[in-house]
Amino acid sequence: MALNTSADAPLPVGEVSRLIGGWIDRLGAIWVEGQITQLSRRPGAGVVFMTLRDPSHDISVSVTCYRQVFDAVADVVSEGARVVVRAKPEWYERRGQLSLRAAEIKPVGVGELLARIEQLKKSLAAEGLFSPERKKTLPFLPQLIGLVTGRASAAERDVLENARHRWPAVRFEVRNVPVQGVHAVPQVVQAVKDLDAHGEVDVIIVARGGGSVEDLLPFSDEQLVRAVASCRTPVVSAIGHEPDNPLLDHVADLRASTPTDAAKKVVPDVGEEYERVQWLRDRARRSIDAFLERETRGLAHALGRPAMEHPHRMVEEREEQVAALVDRSRRTLGHLLDRAGSELTHTHARVVALSPAATLQRGYAVLQKPDGTVVRAPAEVAADEELRARVAEGDFTVRAVGSAQPTAEAVRPGTAQPGAARPGTVQNSDNGEN
């Protein structure tokens, strides 16, 4: 229950420790898994002291057990071993310290560890952390490489020496951390996060040499796998040797079989690149030479054609054709003009023959009233009516004399006798002729 305390009514330290002990005493026995980091077996002592640590977190707890409990597994359990302990939490009031009183200790076998790793592998794969689509491409020539490895280890030496041998100008940002044991996971995770946050690091290599399954367990830890999966910087796994295959290999963007192999895959070889540049340059030169030779042959072939050797010949041939066509067109046009002239002459003759003017040339006259109306019958003319007579050479005025006759003949100029005035005749008003 909650305690009612205040600055005026505080609880003594002993009472607080006693109450905590009472709460813990009510807890039952539990099974706990961890890694033994400290083991104290004093000669003649009936109690064994151990420290049990969580490999994935910086948390540990003290464990005590009777000697006979530990002696049952003393041959297979030592510092660094992973164990499962059935224990009851205990509270030491005098020191205010929590510990576990172990009643049974069981070592975690390699087979069980591998089974757990396999189960974790399936779980993480189902989440898509091992998907090839997540893999990032490594830069061709990284300017700064982050390296997470053990201090003064063979893995560090292999990576640095091989990388600098291949490309002397390459630079490294090294983080030395424990690569096995209870402190490995949190420090490796922190080193990876630090390098990922580094703005100049282009690729991160996590490397260590070979070892037993227990030694490589930190690189199959879920916390480390998820930390690598969340990195924005490409990560290369170089753990152990070819047969070793921790979960870090599956989540990393590239797996190297050894630290030396990691250096070869991350850093290009300057000699090989120089040879490749030379090969590409030679290939380009050969391609250009072949292209120029091919185009030269094509140009020579084109220049050897008759049209290119004698370009005026084609113009001359076309000139003769054009001249023939011009002559033909002229002849054709002349024939058409001659035919059209003949047709025009015949048409003009027919028009002239049918023209009223031609009729007047034969001596006929046309009589018109003052309003221009043509006289067609004698009945249309009144006595003494003035008319206009139109002849071939002009016109003149005439006057009708007497009354009109139904059968009057047409009057021709000059046919009437001078001074005569007969019925049905007309008198010329201009010259006095009838």
Side-chain angles (χ1 to χ4, degrees), residues 183-194:
H183 300 285
V185 173
Q187 294 195 33
V188 172
V189 170
Q190 187 60 44
V192 170
K193 290 182 178 180
D194 291 344

Side-chain angles (χ1 to χ4, degrees), residues 218-231:
F219 300 98
S220 293
D221 187 86
E222 182 178 0
Q223 183 182 0
L224 177 59
V225 171
R226 293 189 180 278
V228 172
S230 62
C231 285

